[in-house]
Amino acid sequence: MAKERLDKVLGNYGFGTRSDVKKEIYQGNVKVNGLVVKDPGYKITLTDIVVYYDETLNRKEFYYFMMNKAPDCITATEDPREKTVMDYLSERHRNMNLFPIGRLDKETEGLLLFTTDGTLAHYYTSPKHFVEKEYYAEISAPVTTFDISQFESGITLDDGYKTLPARLAIPDPSNPHIATVWLREGKYRQIRRMFQSLGKEVQYLKRVKMGNLELDRDLEVGSYRELTEAEEKILKTKIPVIQ
């Protein structure tokens, strides 16, 4: 089992910079397996019990969070002009080196995942895996069977790119302005541009599912939480590639 320096572990847990946590260690505010440790370079594994002041750390190899993204921020770790999704995280969680998996357009709400797991992030964003995302959409004009067939065939966007086949459905035939979209790629503003190619505008868009993981319906817009163990298992289950 891999060993890490105590100061690195505390830093990655969001307690501050390496120099910040070193001071805390030197002052005797950290215990490992019940004993005060004042050496920042002390090596520990995931099986060691670490207590910072009175908090016993629930340590993992990687961390996973879901957010119900608000429509007033961009999906980026930093930006000199725009508000980002990172602004919705607490200072402690920002210090954990979490980063978003994939992107959502600024105006789009819904499921956005954060992690420290680069391998899993690559799996969910790599074009070769075609992980499907599900969206709830409100459209300016009624969605038709022609629109559905166009989505299934792939739509040529304004820049000449032809999208991969996508799925489009009308959950309630009595309200054809409401649609469900399933997408296997993520070009810039893709769903909005696909409908624009059909002469329609997306008035509201929300991602509700990534792969088999669904957005917590009780999670308010702009809020986030750590995934449960069951959700982590769902997230890590490989999804068959659909060609």
Side-chain angles (χ1 to χ4, degrees), residues 91-155:
E91 181 179 2
R92 178 164 163 182
H93 288 140
R94 287 197 300 272
N95 288 338
M96 287 176 67
N97 296 319
L98 291 165
F99 57 88
I101 299 178
R103 292 178 178 274
L104 281 179
D105 300 331
K106 181 176 180 178
E107 303 91 343
T108 303
E109 296 181 13
L111 179 59
L112 184 64
L113 298 175
F114 291 79
T115 189
T116 56
D117 185 346
T119 300
L120 182 132
H122 176 74
Y123 173 80
Y124 269 82
T125 55
S126 172
K128 70 179 183 179
H129 293 130
F130 298 121
V131 176
E132 192 171 67
K133 290 88 174 175
E134 180 180 329
Y135 297 80
Y136 166 89
E138 296 179 5
I139 312 303
S140 60
V143 176
T144 66
T145 54
F146 174 76
D147 299 333
I148 293 173
S149 66
Q150 291 296 104
F151 267 65
E152 290 175 348
S153 301
I155 291 177

Side-chain angles (χ1 to χ4, degrees), residues 175-197:
N175 187 4
H177 288 267
I178 304 297
T180 302
V181 180
W182 293 269
L183 205 64
R184 295 188 287 134
E185 57 183 342
K187 299 297 181 183
Y188 175 68
R189 300 176 64 83
Q190 183 170 335
I191 293 177
R192 298 177 190 277
R193 293 164 66 200
M194 290 172 78
F195 275 106
Q196 285 174 349
S197 296

Side-chain angles (χ1 to χ4, degrees), residues 80-81 89 102 118 128 168 172 176 184 186 190 193 204 225 241:
R81 297 177 300 276
L89 301 183
K128 70 179 183 179
L168 174 64
D172 181 1
R184 295 188 287 134
Q190 183 170 335
R193 293 164 66 200
Y204 176 80
R225 65 165 174 79
V241 174

Side-chain angles (χ1 to χ4, degrees), residues 49-94:
I49 299 173
V50 180
V51 178
Y52 180 78
Y53 284 85
D54 295 324
E55 180 180 354
T56 301
L57 308 192
N58 179 24
R59 295 169 51 233
K60 301 177 182 178
E61 183 179 8
F62 300 111
Y63 298 93
Y64 308 91
F65 289 76
M66 74 161 63
M67 172 184 283
N68 187 356
K69 179 189 169 295
D72 66 346
C73 58
I74 63 171
T75 307
T77 54
E78 59 182 355
D79 189 274
R81 297 177 300 276
E82 298 266 19
K83 183 177 182 179
T84 77
V85 292
M86 305 302 290
D87 293 318
Y88 279 92
L89 301 183
S90 69
E91 181 179 2
R92 178 164 163 182
H93 288 140
R94 287 197 300 272

